[in-house]
mmCIF file of all heavy atoms in Angstrom:
data_model
loop_
_atom_site.group_PDB
_atom_site.id
_atom_site.type_symbol
_atom_site.label_atom_id
_atom_site.label_comp_id
_atom_site.label_asym_id
_atom_site.label_seq_id
_atom_site.Cartn_x
_atom_site.Cartn_y
_atom_site.Cartn_z
ATOM 1 N N ARG R 44 -7.335 13.898 28.986
ATOM 2 C CA ARG R 44 -6.155 14.761 28.888
ATOM 3 C C ARG R 44 -6.587 16.178 29.253
ATOM 4 O O ARG R 44 -7.650 16.378 29.802
ATOM 5 C CB ARG R 44 -5.635 14.735 27.439
ATOM 6 C CG ARG R 44 -5.004 13.425 27.030
ATOM 7 C CD ARG R 44 -3.620 13.273 27.614
ATOM 8 N NE ARG R 44 -2.811 12.252 26.963
ATOM 9 C CZ ARG R 44 -2.879 10.959 27.245
ATOM 10 N NH1 ARG R 44 -3.734 10.540 28.135
ATOM 11 N NH2 ARG R 44 -2.096 10.085 26.620
ATOM 12 N N ALA R 45 -5.773 17.165 28.941
ATOM 13 C CA ALA R 45 -6.090 18.549 29.293
ATOM 14 C C ALA R 45 -7.258 19.056 28.449
ATOM 15 O O ALA R 45 -7.812 18.333 27.643
ATOM 16 C CB ALA R 45 -4.860 19.428 29.075
ATOM 17 N N GLY R 46 -7.615 20.307 28.674
ATOM 18 C CA GLY R 46 -8.788 20.812 27.966
ATOM 19 C C GLY R 46 -8.783 22.310 27.779
ATOM 20 O O GLY R 46 -9.836 22.940 27.693
ATOM 21 N N VAL R 47 -7.583 22.912 27.719
ATOM 22 C CA VAL R 47 -7.503 24.365 27.532
ATOM 23 C C VAL R 47 -7.034 24.639 26.107
ATOM 24 O O VAL R 47 -5.911 24.272 25.737
ATOM 25 C CB VAL R 47 -6.504 24.990 28.530
ATOM 26 C CG1 VAL R 47 -6.395 26.498 28.307
ATOM 27 C CG2 VAL R 47 -6.957 24.714 29.967
ATOM 28 N N ILE R 99 -12.445 26.186 26.969
ATOM 29 C CA ILE R 99 -12.366 24.928 27.712
ATOM 30 C C ILE R 99 -13.176 23.875 26.963
ATOM 31 O O ILE R 99 -14.400 24.007 26.808
ATOM 32 C CB ILE R 99 -12.925 25.098 29.144
ATOM 33 C CG1 ILE R 99 -12.155 26.189 29.896
ATOM 34 C CG2 ILE R 99 -12.878 23.768 29.893
ATOM 35 C CD1 ILE R 99 -10.680 25.934 30.052
ATOM 36 N N TRP R 185 1.607 14.995 39.400
ATOM 37 C CA TRP R 185 0.245 15.507 39.582
ATOM 38 C C TRP R 185 -0.701 14.335 39.746
ATOM 39 O O TRP R 185 -0.734 13.426 38.915
ATOM 40 C CB TRP R 185 -0.202 16.296 38.356
ATOM 41 C CG TRP R 185 0.254 17.704 38.270
ATOM 42 C CD1 TRP R 185 1.260 18.304 38.973
ATOM 43 C CD2 TRP R 185 -0.273 18.702 37.410
ATOM 44 N NE1 TRP R 185 1.392 19.626 38.595
ATOM 45 C CE2 TRP R 185 0.444 19.887 37.642
ATOM 46 C CE3 TRP R 185 -1.291 18.711 36.455
ATOM 47 C CZ2 TRP R 185 0.180 21.068 36.958
ATOM 48 C CZ3 TRP R 185 -1.554 19.890 35.765
ATOM 49 C CH2 TRP R 185 -0.833 21.052 36.025
ATOM 50 N N MET R 198 -10.696 29.217 36.804
ATOM 51 C CA MET R 198 -9.543 28.303 36.738
ATOM 52 C C MET R 198 -8.583 28.774 37.827
ATOM 53 O O MET R 198 -8.117 29.927 37.784
ATOM 54 C CB MET R 198 -8.879 28.417 35.374
ATOM 55 C CG MET R 198 -7.652 27.581 35.207
ATOM 56 S SD MET R 198 -8.038 25.850 34.892
ATOM 57 C CE MET R 198 -8.563 25.966 33.173
ATOM 58 N N TYR R 200 -5.266 28.236 40.480
ATOM 59 C CA TYR R 200 -4.015 27.577 40.862
ATOM 60 C C TYR R 200 -3.698 27.963 42.299
ATOM 61 O O TYR R 200 -4.045 29.076 42.738
ATOM 62 C CB TYR R 200 -2.867 28.055 39.966
ATOM 63 C CG TYR R 200 -3.059 27.808 38.489
ATOM 64 C CD1 TYR R 200 -3.876 28.650 37.720
ATOM 65 C CD2 TYR R 200 -2.449 26.738 37.848
ATOM 66 C CE1 TYR R 200 -4.065 28.423 36.371
ATOM 67 C CE2 TYR R 200 -2.628 26.511 36.494
ATOM 68 C CZ TYR R 200 -3.444 27.357 35.762
ATOM 69 O OH TYR R 200 -3.643 27.124 34.420
ATOM 70 N N PHE R 207 1.280 22.255 45.465
ATOM 71 C CA PHE R 207 0.473 22.843 44.378
ATOM 72 C C PHE R 207 -0.903 22.190 44.326
ATOM 73 O O PHE R 207 -1.073 21.005 44.673
ATOM 74 C CB PHE R 207 1.204 22.588 43.056
ATOM 75 C CG PHE R 207 0.410 22.843 41.803
ATOM 76 C CD1 PHE R 207 0.346 24.104 41.242
ATOM 77 C CD2 PHE R 207 -0.273 21.800 41.177
ATOM 78 C CE1 PHE R 207 -0.374 24.334 40.072
ATOM 79 C CE2 PHE R 207 -0.997 22.016 40.009
ATOM 80 C CZ PHE R 207 -1.047 23.292 39.454
ATOM 81 N N LEU R 209 -4.676 22.605 41.666
ATOM 82 C CA LEU R 209 -5.327 23.280 40.534
ATOM 83 C C LEU R 209 -6.784 22.833 40.476
ATOM 84 O O LEU R 209 -7.059 21.622 40.526
ATOM 85 C CB LEU R 209 -4.626 22.910 39.223
ATOM 86 C CG LEU R 209 -5.326 23.251 37.913
ATOM 87 C CD1 LEU R 209 -5.614 24.735 37.770
ATOM 88 C CD2 LEU R 209 -4.481 22.762 36.723
ATOM 89 N N CYS R 210 -7.682 23.811 40.416
ATOM 90 C CA CYS R 210 -9.108 23.520 40.217
ATOM 91 C C CYS R 210 -9.452 23.945 38.797
ATOM 92 O O CYS R 210 -9.525 25.138 38.488
ATOM 93 C CB CYS R 210 -9.974 24.279 41.218
ATOM 94 S SG CYS R 210 -9.919 23.590 42.871
ATOM 95 N N SER R 211 -9.628 22.945 37.900
ATOM 96 C CA SER R 211 -9.947 23.225 36.508
ATOM 97 C C SER R 211 -11.362 22.752 36.213
ATOM 98 O O SER R 211 -12.145 22.461 37.112
ATOM 99 C CB SER R 211 -8.920 22.546 35.602
ATOM 100 O OG SER R 211 -9.209 22.818 34.245
ATOM 101 N N ARG R 212 -11.676 22.677 34.920
ATOM 102 C CA ARG R 212 -13.051 22.335 34.548
ATOM 103 C C ARG R 212 -13.079 21.660 33.207
ATOM 104 O O ARG R 212 -12.157 21.819 32.410
ATOM 105 C CB ARG R 212 -13.900 23.593 34.534
ATOM 106 C CG ARG R 212 -13.444 24.663 33.537
ATOM 107 C CD ARG R 212 -12.302 25.485 34.075
ATOM 108 N NE ARG R 212 -12.716 26.862 34.304
ATOM 109 C CZ ARG R 212 -13.307 27.283 35.406
ATOM 110 N NH1 ARG R 212 -13.460 26.469 36.413
ATOM 111 N NH2 ARG R 212 -13.731 28.531 35.526
ATOM 112 N N ARG R 213 -14.100 20.913 32.936
ATOM 113 C CA ARG R 213 -14.339 20.336 31.616
ATOM 114 C C ARG R 213 -15.682 20.810 31.065
ATOM 115 O O ARG R 213 -15.852 20.882 29.856
ATOM 116 C CB ARG R 213 -14.340 18.793 31.659
ATOM 117 C CG ARG R 213 -12.976 18.205 31.805
ATOM 118 C CD ARG R 213 -12.139 18.421 30.547
ATOM 119 N NE ARG R 213 -10.779 17.921 30.709
ATOM 120 C CZ ARG R 213 -9.805 18.605 31.269
ATOM 121 N NH1 ARG R 213 -10.036 19.847 31.725
ATOM 122 N NH2 ARG R 213 -8.604 18.101 31.418
ATOM 123 N N ARG R 219 -12.163 19.177 36.842
ATOM 124 C CA ARG R 219 -10.879 18.493 36.684
ATOM 125 C C ARG R 219 -9.962 19.137 37.711
ATOM 126 O O ARG R 219 -9.719 20.349 37.634
ATOM 127 C CB ARG R 219 -10.344 18.676 35.269
ATOM 128 C CG ARG R 219 -8.977 18.051 35.000
ATOM 129 C CD ARG R 219 -9.007 16.567 35.006
ATOM 130 N NE ARG R 219 -7.810 15.966 34.385
ATOM 131 C CZ ARG R 219 -7.432 14.718 34.617
ATOM 132 N NH1 ARG R 219 -8.130 13.958 35.446
ATOM 133 N NH2 ARG R 219 -6.359 14.214 34.021
ATOM 134 N N HIS R 220 -9.501 18.363 38.702
ATOM 135 C CA HIS R 220 -8.671 18.918 39.774
ATOM 136 C C HIS R 220 -7.360 18.147 39.861
ATOM 137 O O HIS R 220 -7.290 16.965 39.498
ATOM 138 C CB HIS R 220 -9.390 18.790 41.117
ATOM 139 C CG HIS R 220 -10.700 19.499 41.210
ATOM 140 N ND1 HIS R 220 -10.870 20.820 40.837
ATOM 141 C CD2 HIS R 220 -11.922 19.076 41.637
ATOM 142 C CE1 HIS R 220 -12.130 21.176 41.031
ATOM 143 N NE2 HIS R 220 -12.795 20.133 41.507
ATOM 144 N N TYR R 221 -6.349 18.825 40.378
ATOM 145 C CA TYR R 221 -5.030 18.201 40.561
ATOM 146 C C TYR R 221 -4.449 18.646 41.899
ATOM 147 O O TYR R 221 -4.657 19.787 42.331
ATOM 148 C CB TYR R 221 -4.046 18.666 39.482
ATOM 149 C CG TYR R 221 -4.448 18.391 38.049
ATOM 150 C CD1 TYR R 221 -5.159 19.332 37.321
ATOM 151 C CD2 TYR R 221 -4.111 17.192 37.412
ATOM 152 C CE1 TYR R 221 -5.512 19.098 35.994
ATOM 153 C CE2 TYR R 221 -4.459 16.947 36.084
ATOM 154 C CZ TYR R 221 -5.164 17.908 35.390
ATOM 155 O OH TYR R 221 -5.527 17.673 34.075
ATOM 156 N N PRO R 291 5.728 20.808 30.593
ATOM 157 C CA PRO R 291 5.144 20.567 31.921
ATOM 158 C C PRO R 291 3.650 20.906 31.881
ATOM 159 O O PRO R 291 3.266 21.921 31.278
ATOM 160 C CB PRO R 291 5.903 21.546 32.814
ATOM 161 C CG PRO R 291 7.175 21.827 32.111
ATOM 162 C CD PRO R 291 6.851 21.747 30.645
ATOM 163 N N PRO R 292 2.779 20.088 32.456
ATOM 164 C CA PRO R 292 1.324 20.261 32.279
ATOM 165 C C PRO R 292 0.789 21.582 32.832
ATOM 166 O O PRO R 292 -0.298 22.026 32.450
ATOM 167 C CB PRO R 292 0.734 19.076 33.047
ATOM 168 C CG PRO R 292 1.787 18.688 34.020
ATOM 169 C CD PRO R 292 3.090 18.972 33.345
ATOM 170 N N THR R 293 1.575 22.250 33.664
ATOM 171 C CA THR R 293 1.095 23.480 34.310
ATOM 172 C C THR R 293 0.640 24.517 33.285
ATOM 173 O O THR R 293 -0.256 25.308 33.532
ATOM 174 C CB THR R 293 2.207 24.085 35.193
ATOM 175 O OG1 THR R 293 2.920 23.041 35.830
ATOM 176 C CG2 THR R 293 1.632 25.039 36.231
ATOM 177 N N GLY R 294 1.305 24.504 32.107
ATOM 178 C CA GLY R 294 0.952 25.513 31.116
ATOM 179 C C GLY R 294 -0.232 25.134 30.248
ATOM 180 O O GLY R 294 -0.730 25.954 29.483
ATOM 181 N N ALA R 295 -0.676 23.863 30.351
ATOM 182 C CA ALA R 295 -1.813 23.367 29.539
ATOM 183 C C ALA R 295 -1.545 23.608 28.058
ATOM 184 O O ALA R 295 -2.429 24.065 27.317
ATOM 185 C CB ALA R 295 -3.102 24.063 29.952
ATOM 186 N N LYS R 296 -0.342 23.313 27.603
ATOM 187 C CA LYS R 296 0.070 23.689 26.251
ATOM 188 C C LYS R 296 0.244 22.500 25.297
ATOM 189 O O LYS R 296 0.445 22.706 24.097
ATOM 190 C CB LYS R 296 1.389 24.463 26.302
ATOM 191 C CG LYS R 296 1.248 25.830 26.961
ATOM 192 C CD LYS R 296 0.293 26.715 26.205
ATOM 193 C CE LYS R 296 0.170 28.090 26.831
ATOM 194 N NZ LYS R 296 -0.862 28.900 26.164
ATOM 195 N N TYR R 341 7.735 29.016 29.259
ATOM 196 C CA TYR R 341 6.560 29.518 29.993
ATOM 197 C C TYR R 341 6.016 28.450 30.936
ATOM 198 O O TYR R 341 5.734 28.697 32.112
ATOM 199 C CB TYR R 341 5.485 29.955 28.999
ATOM 200 C CG TYR R 341 4.120 30.049 29.617
ATOM 201 C CD1 TYR R 341 3.804 31.079 30.505
ATOM 202 C CD2 TYR R 341 3.157 29.071 29.357
ATOM 203 C CE1 TYR R 341 2.562 31.155 31.097
ATOM 204 C CE2 TYR R 341 1.910 29.140 29.950
ATOM 205 C CZ TYR R 341 1.613 30.167 30.823
ATOM 206 O OH TYR R 341 0.390 30.218 31.416
ATOM 207 N N MET R 345 5.764 28.628 35.029
ATOM 208 C CA MET R 345 4.527 28.430 35.806
ATOM 209 C C MET R 345 4.720 27.280 36.809
ATOM 210 O O MET R 345 4.278 27.340 37.955
ATOM 211 C CB MET R 345 3.371 28.096 34.862
ATOM 212 C CG MET R 345 2.855 29.271 34.068
ATOM 213 S SD MET R 345 1.772 30.325 35.049
ATOM 214 C CE MET R 345 0.208 29.433 34.848
ATOM 215 N N TYR R 384 -0.531 32.616 28.392
ATOM 216 C CA TYR R 384 -1.637 31.704 28.700
ATOM 217 C C TYR R 384 -2.629 31.631 27.536
ATOM 218 O O TYR R 384 -3.065 30.551 27.143
ATOM 219 C CB TYR R 384 -2.367 32.183 29.967
ATOM 220 C CG TYR R 384 -3.202 31.100 30.615
ATOM 221 C CD1 TYR R 384 -2.643 30.256 31.565
ATOM 222 C CD2 TYR R 384 -4.537 30.912 30.264
ATOM 223 C CE1 TYR R 384 -3.397 29.249 32.163
ATOM 224 C CE2 TYR R 384 -5.296 29.915 30.860
ATOM 225 C CZ TYR R 384 -4.722 29.094 31.804
ATOM 226 O OH TYR R 384 -5.453 28.080 32.382
HETATM 227 C C1 PHB Y 2 -6.653 20.821 32.787
HETATM 228 O O1 PHB Y 2 -7.857 21.174 32.791
HETATM 229 O O2 PHB Y 2 -6.297 19.639 32.601
HETATM 230 C C2 PHB Y 2 -5.588 21.887 33.002
HETATM 231 C C3 PHB Y 2 -5.976 23.227 33.079
HETATM 232 C C4 PHB Y 2 -5.012 24.201 33.259
HETATM 233 C C5 PHB Y 2 -3.675 23.825 33.371
HETATM 234 C C6 PHB Y 2 -3.290 22.481 33.286
HETATM 235 C C7 PHB Y 2 -4.246 21.500 33.102
HETATM 236 O O3 PHB Y 2 -2.738 24.800 33.556
#
Side-chain angles (χ1 to χ4, degrees):
R44 290 284 197 277
V47 178
I99 302 300
W185 278 16
M198 177 79 75
Y200 301 79
F207 167 86
L209 167 58
C210 285
S211 181
R212 61 279 247 85
R213 286 291 177 276
R219 178 69 164 160
H220 300 310
Y221 301 92
T293 322
K296 292 299 181 186
Y341 161 72
M345 286 281 276
Y384 199 89

